[in-house]
Amino acid sequence: MTKNLYYRTVFRRANLIKERIFAFFLFIASYPRVLIEVFIRKNFGERYFSLATCFTVAGFLMITPIFLKRLAMLNFTFDSETGFAGMERFRSSAFILYWPWYAFTVVFLVFSFIRWKEIRRNPSVFDFKRFSLHTGDLHPFFYNLTVNDKKPSIRAIETFWEPVGFFVGGLFLYMAGQSLGLLFVVAALCYSLSYYGAYKAGDNFIMDKIDEMILNEEMETAFIGDAPTDQTRGVRFYSRKPTSEELRRRVAGSFTEGNEDDVSVAG
């Protein structure tokens, strides 16, 4: 597609901050997102799924109860005769409170190893057989899901239906006094928002391409002919222009570069 330098300079830069925010969120969300993905997806791309990332998450899960236990100990008052008030009660309830963390960590590692084995059995990406950044196959349950006699879109599945079960389950666990529930809630929120950010970035990319094509097609009418926006599909050039049409045409010729190999969207 012909590159429109005016568009990429004047319009495209307005989205740079938003793109950085989306990129940052997608980066930090990769760790909580894997907590859900290993259970509901399979056949990941070999560059998307990392066993090292799973070990890192598992290590975090292992040390979190220790940190929470030490933090809780700071809330006990010390008595010279009885020691820390409530310490025995805390010790007796600590295992009940935190054992789900360790049980979940073990199950998480088992599923992580299963996903790693699946990748090793898949065709090589070097033979052009698979997309190396594939985010995994969706569970068949979601393809068979029907809401109001309609099947949800892939976008709705990834941004809502996949994480909602973990979110609701996490709320019940948290209300039951299990701190693991809070982990599920946070992971579900990160999962949903990260996919929302990915789709938003994809939408912006497609709209950028469409807008650039429209700008190229309306160059004659909008810049050279100086027509109002109701005749140019909303295209307006934010700059002073040469007074003569000949000079405008010469300037407009420098706005673009590359080959005209795009598919026209004009009717």
Side-chain angles (χ1 to χ4, degrees):
M1 186 183 76
T2 300
K3 297 179 181 179
N4 192 297
L5 303 179
Y6 180 88
Y7 176 82
R8 300 190 179 203
T9 301
V10 177
F11 293 101
R12 193 65 185 90
R13 287 184 178 178
N15 292 325
L16 288 179
I17 295 178
K18 185 183 294 185
E19 288 180 354
R20 297 296 183 270
I21 293 175
F22 281 143
F24 175 74
F25 189 80
L26 287 172
F27 171 75
I28 64 174
S30 62
Y31 290 98
R33 199 162 80 174
V34 75
L35 289 170
I36 297 177
E37 287 178 327
V38 297
F39 297 106
I40 61 176
R41 295 193 178 191
K42 61 181 181 179
N43 294 321
F44 296 102
E46 66 179 73
R47 283 202 300 164
Y48 178 80
F49 180 84
S50 170
L51 195 59
T53 298
C54 295
F55 286 148
T56 301
V57 172
F60 171 80
L61 293 177
M62 292 294 289
I63 66 174
T64 297
I66 299 175
F67 172 77
L68 294 176
K69 181 178 179 181
R70 292 186 178 275
L71 186 64
M73 290 175 63
L74 298 178
N75 295 324
F76 293 116
T77 58
F78 184 79
D79 184 89
S80 59
E81 296 183 359
T82 61
F84 285 102
M87 179 61 72
E88 292 303 322
R89 179 177 58 83
F90 174 76
R91 286 174 176 171
S92 63
S93 63
F95 179 77
I96 298 176
L97 185 63
Y98 295 122
W99 74 262
W101 280 85
Y102 295 109
F104 175 77
T105 302
V106 172
V107 176
F108 170 75
L109 285 173
V110 170
F111 273 82
S112 298
F113 184 74
I114 292 174
R115 301 303 173 229
W116 178 71
K117 294 286 288 183
E118 290 172 349
I119 294 174
R120 290 171 62 87
R121 290 195 297 266
N122 286 333
S124 172
V125 299
F126 293 101
D127 294 327
F128 290 75
K129 299 295 185 180
R130 283 182 59 81
F131 182 51
S132 67
L133 295 175
H134 177 42
T135 56
D137 299 337
L138 272 64
H139 196 281
F141 167 80
F142 298 105
Y143 288 115
N144 298 323
L145 185 65
T146 302
V147 182
N148 295 328
D149 297 326
K150 295 181 180 179
K151 292 189 177 297
S153 64
I154 301 298
R155 185 174 188 148
I157 291 174
E158 292 187 315
T159 58
F160 179 76
W161 291 109
E162 282 187 319
V164 70
F166 285 84
F167 181 84
V168 174
L171 285 180
F172 278 109
L173 285 174
Y174 186 71
M175 290 187 294
Q178 295 292 342
S179 54
L180 181 63
L182 184 60
L183 177 70
F184 284 1
V185 169
V186 172
L189 288 174
C190 289
Y191 191 98
S192 176
L193 292 175
S194 63
Y195 271 108
Y196 175 82
Y199 276 105
K200 190 65 176 177
D203 289 343
N204 286 333
F205 177 83
I206 298 299
M207 286 190 289
D208 282 337
K209 295 302 180 183
I210 293 173
D211 286 342
E212 193 168 0
M213 293 169 67
I214 291 176
L215 196 66
N216 288 337
E217 294 166 3
E218 297 294 343
M219 187 82 68
E220 177 82 21
T221 306
F223 186 81
I224 300 174
D226 204 19
T229 55
D230 60 350
Q231 300 178 20
T232 63
R233 289 183 279 179
V235 172
R236 177 186 291 116
F237 284 83
Y238 296 93
S239 65
R240 295 180 178 179
K241 305 172 185 177
T243 55
S244 71
E245 181 178 320
E246 180 184 355
L247 291 176
R248 289 183 185 181
R249 193 174 299 278
R250 290 175 58 185
V251 173
S254 67
F255 285 178
T256 58
E257 64 179 16
N259 297 322
E260 189 66 43
D261 57 358
D262 59 277
V263 178
S264 177
V265 297

